[in-house]
Amino acid sequence: MILNDTEITNRSNGPNALISPFSSENLRLSSYDLTVGKEYYIGQSDTGSLFETQTLRTSQSITIPPHAVCFILTEEQINLSDDITARVSLRMTHIYAGMVLTSQPPFDPNYRGKVVVMLHNLSSAPYHLKCGERVATIEFTKLISPAQGNRVHRSVHNLEAQLSKPLVSSLTEIANASTSVQNKINWLSGQMLIFAALVVAVLAVPGFFSYSTLLDRLSEQRDQIKEISKDIDDFKKKLESSESNNNTLIEKLSILEKKTRNGTTLISQPSSSGGDKQ
């Protein structure tokens, strides 16, 4: 059976009060809202092996970084009888903000001490809790009969005795590693852009002059080719003129040869009339 508000109120009066200190403002119909106490611990990746809890002043706030784990010691102490057990849950206001209460077993009957609330900030933004602010809800259940055993959870009065070493959320380490990688990528991207700009700037000027020089050389080659072509044409003309002269000379020689042959024939041929007269 779950205790209602009247049972909780009645059991919170007297020397062995169920809840101490008790405030009717934090009482609900079947549960009671626990408030942030004066001691807390936040796991930080930059603390190394240093473990140290923090103390809150009245109205001072806790800032839980994104993805971080926070242990809070409640202001209230609970005193359970041998027929009462209790279970803690997170208030919906904090759940809607991205906070998660780590699951923990119920308190055994006869437990006496404070409540440790372990919160995990799953959001990407810091979360703030003020000293005295309602953080968790405790629900009390009455057993069918009183418990007979004597194995009771040890009492909790401070965080330092419960936490023996620093605790860092794996999400925090992942987020830090991701941030570090992203920063390196951004830095490398910037360096690559600068390098590319320098390469373009360095190659642009020599490339311009090389292109201009190439154009000049091509122009010179064209002029040389034109001169060579002109020389070839002149040579062809001279060669053609020479061939024409040679043909004329050959024709003249041929005519002269014919004339020479004809003259020789006339000289060597005897006269028939002159021989008869002798």
Side-chain angles (χ1 to χ4, degrees):
M1 182 182 69
I2 297 175
L3 301 186
N4 61 17
D5 53 348
T6 302
E7 285 290 332
I8 294 173
T9 302
N10 292 336
R11 288 175 178 266
S12 296
N13 294 323
N16 293 321
L18 180 64
I19 301 173
S20 178
F22 176 83
S23 173
S24 60
E25 294 181 356
N26 298 332
L27 182 64
R28 306 177 70 85
L29 294 180
S30 60
S31 60
Y32 186 89
D33 287 339
L34 302 174
T35 60
V36 177
K38 293 181 173 59
E39 187 178 357
Y40 72 96
Y41 169 77
I42 296 178
Q44 299 285 354
S45 58
D46 56 354
T47 58
S49 59
L50 178 64
F51 173 75
E52 183 179 358
T53 59
Q54 305 294 323
T55 303
L56 278 176
R57 299 189 303 272
T58 304
S59 299
Q60 189 178 8
S61 296
I62 301 172
T63 300
I64 306 175
H67 315 297
V69 173
C70 178
F71 290 87
I72 298 174
L73 192 67
T74 62
E75 180 66 21
E76 296 79 11
Q77 176 174 316
I78 60 175
N79 300 299
L80 305 180
S81 60
D82 59 1
D83 63 342
I84 298 295
T85 182
R87 186 181 296 274
V88 176
S89 58
L90 188 63
R91 296 188 71 238
M92 291 303 299
T93 303
H94 307 307
I95 294 176
Y96 293 149
M99 304 299 293
V100 174
L101 176 67
T102 302
S103 177
Q104 56 192 56
F107 291 94
D108 286 340
N110 294 322
Y111 173 80
R112 283 170 169 76
K114 290 183 177 292
V115 177
V116 177
V117 178
M118 180 182 174
L119 298 179
H120 203 151
N121 184 2
L122 295 183
S123 71
S124 59
Y127 193 71
H128 307 283
L129 285 171
K130 186 178 291 186
C131 181
E133 182 179 352
R134 292 181 294 173
V135 61
T137 298
I138 189 168
E139 183 183 72
F140 301 97
T141 303
K142 183 177 174 59
L143 303 179
I144 297 175
S145 60
Q148 301 299 320
N150 56 4
R151 298 181 62 182
V152 183
H153 288 159
R154 61 179 179 178
S155 298
V156 176
H157 299 287
N158 58 70
L159 285 177
E160 192 170 353
Q162 304 302 314
L163 306 175
S164 59
K165 60 181 181 179
L167 178 64
V168 180
S169 169
S170 58
L171 291 179
T172 301
E173 295 180 345
I174 293 173
N176 292 338
S178 176
T179 301
S180 177
V181 170
Q182 186 63 43
N183 291 336
K184 290 181 179 179
I185 291 175
N186 293 336
W187 182 83
L188 288 175
S189 298
Q191 295 300 315
M192 289 298 294
L193 289 175
I194 294 173
F195 178 76
L198 289 175
V199 169
V200 172
V202 169
L203 294 179
V205 175
F208 174 78
F209 286 112
S210 298
Y211 182 71
S212 300
T213 303
L214 180 61
L215 290 178
D216 294 339
R217 291 183 178 178
L218 288 175
S219 179
E220 292 177 358
Q221 292 295 327
R222 290 195 191 97
D223 294 339
Q224 292 180 2
I225 291 172
K226 288 180 180 179
E227 292 179 359
I228 293 173
S229 298
K230 184 179 179 181
D231 293 339
I232 292 174
D233 291 338
D234 293 340
F235 180 77
K236 284 182 178 180
K237 291 179 180 179
K238 291 180 180 180
L239 182 60
E240 290 175 355
S241 176
S242 177
E243 288 179 354
S244 177
N245 294 332
N246 288 336
N247 292 332
T248 303
L249 180 60
I250 290 172
E251 290 178 357
K252 289 180 178 181
L253 289 175
S254 177
I255 293 171
L256 181 60
E257 183 179 2
K258 289 180 180 180
K259 289 180 177 181
T260 302
R261 287 179 181 176
N262 291 332
T264 305
T265 303
L266 292 175
I267 295 171
S268 59
Q269 185 177 3
S271 177
S272 59
S273 58
D276 294 337
K277 289 180 178 181
Q278 289 178 352

